[in-house]
Amino acid sequence: MILQAHLHSLCLLMLYLATGYGQEGKFSGPLKPMTFSIYEGQEPSQIIFQFKANPPAVTFELTGETDNIFVIEREGLLYYNRALDRETRSTHNLQVAALDANGIIVEGPVPITIKVKDINDNRPTFLQSKYEGSVRQNSRPGKPFLYVNATDLDDPATPNGQLYYQIVIQLPMINNVMYFQINNKTGAISLTREGSQELNPAKNPSYNLVISVKDMGGQSENSFSDTTSVDIIVTENIWKAPKPVEMVENSTDPHPIKITQVRWNDPGAQYSLVDKEKLPRFPFSIDQEGDIYVTQPLDREEKDAYVFYAVAKDEYGKPLSYPLEIHVKVKDINDNPPTCPSPVTVFEVQENERLGNSIGTLTAHDRDEENTANSFLNYRIVEQTPKLPMDGLFLIQTYAGMLQLAKQSLKKQDTPQYNLTIEVSDKDFKTLCFVQINVIDINDQIPIFEKSDYGNLTLAEDTNIGSTILTIQATDADEPFTGSSKILYHIIKGDSEGRLGVDTDPHTNTGYVIIKKPLDFETAAVSNIVFKAENPEPLVFGVKYNASSFAKFTLIVTDVNEAPQFSQHVFQAKVSEDVAIGTKVGNVTAKDPEGLDISYSLRGDTRGWLKIDHVTGEIFSVAPLDREAGSPYRVQVVATEVGGSSLSSVSEFHLILMDVNDNPPRLAKDYTGLFFCHPLSAPGSLIFEATDDDQHLFRGPHFTFSLGSGSLQNDWEVSKINGIILAVVFIRIKKDKGKDNVESAQASEVKPLRS
């Protein structure tokens, strides 16, 4: 009965036990080292192996890490009497020895290893029932700021001990958007992209998460789980652009000088500066604490402001956030003296200038900042040369620099030129500038023509443009080579079309009358031209231009016989190609500048299709037109004077012919002489292509195809390929007719019909 019980247990073990050393499928054998794998939690009294004794051995002995669980019977039956627990001991190292009748070891001991295989009998548990953490707003998404951890006593090398983390609840949940995410394997909590952009401690300073952990990798409905709570405080983002910095130029303090700072939300960031303007000299640096320095003195006059970026990167060189824009303004100090606009500034003053009138303005410059005390300038006359007829003839406005006549009008014959030394100063510097004042003659003389009438001038209407046709001369008694004596000539009457112009020699004041536009006998045969001579400078009060400043001449244009002129270079008409003979298809028009009658004729009518009315210019068809023979049809039209010199001109006439369906389809090539050998092993076929000469649509011509003889339809079939151009002929032999020659169904009998 005991043996039957043991054998029953042995059968049950076949589902669980695996043996090494070539013992597959055997549960008894000699004493030798062996390894067994047994699932934990199995019912006790399970047989493991039956060792067989070799004489003189009569019994067996078990030692090692038995934990009072493993037992071996005298006859060698090894079994365990309690359920195994992998979490208590995962491997039991045993030794088995064979003894003789006197208890002496005659074989062994040999090692027997029992490996306890894991089952999912432990739930995961969080190390803390509640976690607390904080995160900066605008932190980089995906970067962990907190970890939750759970443990599971089951084997981590099996799904039983593989944990899966998941956020179950986020409070508050705004617009159903998750601001937080968790690494399912590591428990690392970080911001989502939305969280990085939208977290704001001013709106929601804290959040609560409920996080679950499951074993079996979260993939089994039978997995165990645990939950924990996470409280998260949102803190303000300190990665912000600092306020604009103001730096005094040309600082003598030791450099580098700290001017501002930036800070990333977490330690360990790597900082750098990016020069936005790509300057050849970039005088700023940043250390790894985020402190920004100016490395050398700045010069406002060289550059008054700088804009650059501060960048924070992680240990892998990836940007942690957007760059911060840094603004540095260079503050001015008074380190530049005033400068004169030129070595000598020259002004002119008329000899009758009134007291107080402006002579000119001296504008000095200061490179220091505008509209500050550093660049605010004062003007003062320190010397006048010569002091004739007295000193102090001029004054200058202290702040504006405008020079004025102070005491009396000047006379050129007394002193034609004055030199002034002017002191220009800011609050710390003084500069001397030099001004030359030239006394100029006043414009009190008008230009006078040498003669008032230049008589008649006769020119042919085809005189070249640019030709000089007349020279005129006026003189002015004012000072030479000044605006008062320079003369400009204007045509004020008789040339409304602007056909003439006058160029003036600046040295002699001679006027040259030139042709600017073609003359035209037909519109202006005689023109009475009136000139006016005047100065660019205005005349002084009381002096006016009179008749002495005006002159005239009469331009007579003679006729030149000109060829007729067509109204356009190319005439074009459009008609259908099937118009009746005698139909008007177009007309042309031309005019003769002299008003002579015109006779029209055609040239180049190679097909003899057209005729033209010699008087009206109307064009008619005189023969059938054919688009396929040529469209557009181009001819020349000749217009000839009737009488006179019989001059002529030529224009083009283009006749566009619109298509009509006036051409039958035809086979594209000769298909005669084709044949099939009889008897046919299978139906044969040939492909025929059709075309016609009419205008094709963009999709090509459309044809239908049929056999010309009804008798052929018993043995032949016709169908279209793609329904466009090609027809395929299938030949079927329905009865024996001897040699099958395609000529019996000649291509001429396959008639394509236009659809």
Side-chain angles (χ1 to χ4, degrees):
M1 295 297 292
I2 294 174
L3 181 59
Q4 289 179 347
H6 285 170
L7 290 174
H8 176 70
S9 299
L10 187 61
C11 292
L12 293 176
L13 279 171
M14 292 178 66
L15 296 174
Y16 305 106
L17 302 183
T19 63
Y21 303 98
Q23 298 298 314
E24 296 87 4
K26 296 182 180 180
F27 299 96
S28 64
L31 183 63
K32 63 180 179 179
M34 301 187 74
T35 299
F36 301 93
S37 295
I38 304 173
Y39 279 103
E40 66 174 331
Q42 298 295 327
E43 292 186 8
S45 300
Q46 297 288 331
I47 296 174
I48 300 174
F49 196 78
Q50 173 71 60
F51 292 101
K52 294 182 178 180
N54 294 319
V58 295
T59 185
F60 293 89
E61 179 183 60
L62 178 66
T63 58
E65 298 170 344
T66 63
D67 295 343
N68 294 323
I69 298 175
F70 296 95
V71 179
I72 192 167
E73 297 292 343
R74 289 178 57 83
E75 62 273 18
L77 188 64
L78 177 65
Y79 66 95
Y80 57 94
N81 56 24
R82 292 205 313 268
L84 303 180
D85 184 10
R86 191 200 67 83
E87 288 72 40
T88 301
R89 190 187 295 274
S90 61
T91 301
H92 293 263
N93 295 303
L94 309 176
Q95 294 85 36
V96 176
L99 309 178
D100 60 13
N102 298 318
I104 303 300
I105 296 176
V106 294
E107 188 177 359
V110 298
I112 304 298
T113 302
I114 307 295
K115 293 185 177 180
V116 184
K117 297 182 68 174
D118 187 49
I119 64 172
N120 191 21
D121 59 346
N122 292 279
R123 64 173 294 188
T125 57
F126 279 103
L127 299 183
Q128 299 175 213
S129 60
K130 186 174 185 179
Y131 290 82
E132 294 180 350
S134 65
V135 63
R136 298 270 186 188
Q137 68 176 137
N138 304 127
S139 291
R140 181 161 59 92
K143 182 179 181 181
F145 63 87
L146 180 65
Y147 286 84
V148 295
N149 292 287
T151 60
D152 191 311
L153 296 177
D154 290 319
D155 188 355
T158 67
N160 303 331
Q162 293 177 0
L163 303 184
Y164 182 87
Y165 298 93
Q166 186 177 10
I167 297 177
V168 180
I169 298 173
Q170 171 189 294
L171 295 175
M173 175 77 80
I174 301 171
N175 297 327
N176 203 33
V177 175
M178 290 296 293
Y179 290 162
F180 302 91
Q181 59 188 348
I182 190 169
N183 186 304
N184 304 123
K185 295 182 178 180
T186 65
I189 302 174
S190 61
L191 294 181
T192 63
R193 180 174 299 180
E194 293 79 6
S196 175
Q197 296 173 349
E198 299 179 20
L199 280 185
N200 186 344
K203 295 181 179 179
N204 292 291
S206 64
Y207 288 81
N208 176 259
L209 305 179
V210 175
I211 296 177
S212 72
V213 62
K214 294 181 179 180
D215 59 15
M216 303 297 290
Q219 301 300 314
S220 173
E221 295 181 357
N222 299 322
S223 60
F224 294 111
S225 65
D226 192 16
T227 60
T228 189
S229 175
V230 179
D231 290 333
I232 300 173
I233 303 298
V234 181
T235 58
E236 184 181 9
N237 179 20
I238 63 173
W239 181 247
K240 295 181 178 179
K243 294 180 180 180
V245 178
E246 290 190 351
M247 283 289 302
V248 175
E249 67 171 330
N250 298 323
S251 172
T252 58
D253 294 338
H255 286 74
I257 300 172
K258 179 181 176 180
I259 57 174
T260 188
Q261 67 182 31
V262 294
R263 292 290 186 271
W264 178 242
N265 296 311
D266 303 309
Q270 299 176 2
Y271 300 100
S272 60
L273 299 181
V274 177
D275 176 15
K276 176 182 179 182
E277 300 170 290
K278 307 300 181 185
L279 300 173
R281 181 178 69 93
F282 184 64
F284 301 96
S285 65
I286 188 170
D287 63 20
Q288 290 313 301
E289 297 299 322
D291 295 334
I292 298 175
Y293 300 85
V294 59
T295 58
Q296 54 189 284
L298 305 180
D299 184 0
R300 193 204 69 84
E301 287 70 45
E302 177 184 332
K303 186 170 178 59
D304 62 358
Y306 294 84
V307 179
F308 53 91
Y309 292 99
V311 178
K313 298 181 179 180
D314 62 16
E315 63 273 20
Y316 304 107
K318 294 183 178 180
L320 293 167
S321 186
Y322 51 85
L324 301 181
E325 195 170 69
I326 312 298
H327 292 262
V328 177
K329 178 182 178 182
V330 185
K331 293 180 65 176
D332 186 48
I333 63 173
N334 191 21
D335 57 346
N336 290 280
T339 58
C340 304
S342 61
V344 178
T345 302
V346 179
F347 296 115
E348 292 182 343
V349 58
Q350 289 186 341
E351 58 183 353
N352 68 334
E353 196 73 54
R354 296 180 181 180
L355 298 183
N357 281 5
S358 172
I359 299 172
T361 300
L362 177 66
T363 303
H365 302 283
D366 194 307
R367 296 184 64 201
D368 292 317
E369 187 172 2
E370 294 182 1
N371 302 318
T372 67
N374 296 334
S375 61
F376 190 71
L377 302 181
N378 294 283
Y379 298 85
R380 182 174 68 90
I381 298 175
V382 296
E383 186 177 7
Q384 170 193 309
T385 304
K387 297 178 174 58
L388 297 174
M390 64 184 68
D391 196 8
L393 288 175
F394 307 94
L395 62 82
I396 190 167
Q397 292 185 5
T398 304
Y399 302 119
M402 186 176 73
L403 283 162
Q404 296 171 288
L405 196 59
K407 292 187 176 180
Q408 67 176 55
S409 297
L410 307 177
K411 291 187 179 296
K412 181 175 182 180
Q413 58 268 32
D414 295 338
T415 307
Q417 184 181 96
Y418 291 89
N419 294 291
L420 303 179
T421 302
I422 298 175
E423 179 188 89
V424 185
S425 60
D426 59 22
K427 65 177 184 176
D428 297 312
F429 298 96
K430 296 178 180 179
T431 300
L432 295 180
C433 296
F434 301 98
V435 174
Q436 176 181 303
I437 299 177
N438 296 325
V439 182
I440 62 172
D441 184 30
I442 61 175
N443 191 14
D444 56 357
Q445 301 293 320
I446 64 172
I448 298 174
F449 272 101
E450 62 179 3
K451 55 184 177 180
S452 61
D453 191 342
Y454 284 85
N456 297 336
L457 180 62
T458 301
L459 296 173
E461 65 177 331
D462 62 352
T463 302
N464 292 335
I465 293 175
S467 300
T468 299
I469 62 173
L470 182 65
T471 301
I472 58 178
Q473 183 72 61
T475 58
D476 193 301
D478 288 313
E479 182 181 359
F481 307 111
T482 67
S484 299
S485 63
K486 182 179 180 180
I487 298 176
L488 301 177
Y489 299 97
H490 302 284
I491 298 175
I492 63 171
K493 186 178 180 181
D495 186 27
S496 60
E497 297 295 326
R499 301 181 190 275
L500 304 179
V502 184
D503 292 339
T504 303
D505 186 323
H507 301 290
T508 64
N509 279 335
T510 301
Y512 300 96
V513 183
I514 61 173
I515 297 177
K516 295 173 58 179
K517 294 181 180 179
L519 304 179
D520 188 8
F521 169 81
E522 286 72 28
T523 60
V526 179
S527 301
N528 294 310
I529 308 298
V530 178
F531 301 107
K532 180 182 179 181
E534 55 186 353
N535 305 126
E537 287 288 335
L539 297 172
V540 298
F541 181 75
V543 178
K544 296 182 179 179
Y545 295 104
N546 57 35
S548 300
S549 299
F550 295 86
K552 66 179 180 178
F553 84 103
T554 300
L555 175 62
I556 300 171
V557 179
T558 60
D559 188 28
V560 175
N561 191 20
E562 299 170 273
Q565 297 175 355
F566 280 99
S567 59
Q568 56 196 66
H569 296 296
V570 178
F571 295 86
Q572 185 171 288
K574 182 185 294 186
V575 297
S576 176
E577 66 174 325
D578 63 348
V579 296
I581 295 175
T583 301
K584 177 183 175 181
V585 297
N587 67 283
V588 298
T589 56
K591 291 178 62 178
D592 184 74
E594 288 74 42
L596 298 177
D597 291 336
I598 294 175
S599 175
Y600 297 98
S601 61
L602 295 179
R603 182 187 298 168
D605 183 15
T606 57
R607 298 187 181 276
W609 285 354
L610 305 175
K611 73 173 182 178
I612 190 168
D613 188 300
H614 300 300
V615 177
T616 65
E618 295 177 317
I619 300 174
F620 300 88
S621 66
V622 295
L625 307 179
D626 185 5
R627 187 201 67 83
E628 290 71 35
S631 177
Y633 185 56
R634 297 179 174 88
V635 297
Q636 290 183 328
V637 183
V638 182
T640 306
E641 291 178 344
V642 177
S645 302
S646 298
L647 296 178
S648 63
S649 58
V650 179
S651 182
E652 294 281 334
F653 177 72
H654 296 173
L655 182 61
I656 299 173
L657 301 177
M658 295 182 292
D659 188 45
V660 298
N661 190 11
D662 58 349
N663 289 280
R666 66 179 189 279
L667 293 177
K669 59 183 179 180
D670 185 7
Y671 290 100
T672 59
L674 304 177
F675 62 89
F676 293 105
C677 292
H678 179 75
L680 292 175
S681 59
S685 64
L686 287 172
I687 295 177
F688 295 86
E689 181 179 354
T691 184
D692 76 10
D693 295 325
D694 288 317
Q695 186 175 17
H696 294 173
L697 300 176
F698 70 94
R699 294 180 58 189
H702 290 259
F703 301 114
T704 58
F705 298 85
S706 65
L707 292 167
S709 170
S711 63
L712 297 175
Q713 296 178 4
N714 296 326
D715 301 322
W716 306 79
E717 289 184 354
V718 179
S719 64
K720 286 193 257 185
I721 295 178
N722 296 329
I724 300 176
I725 297 176
L726 302 178
V728 60
V729 179
F730 296 88
I731 297 99
R732 288 186 310 197
I733 303 302
K734 296 184 178 180
K735 51 190 175 181
D736 186 7
K737 291 186 177 182
K739 180 180 179 181
D740 290 304
N741 193 325
V742 176
E743 292 180 355
S744 65
Q746 294 182 4
S748 60
E749 295 181 336
V750 182
K751 297 180 180 179
L753 302 178
R754 187 72 173 271
S755 63

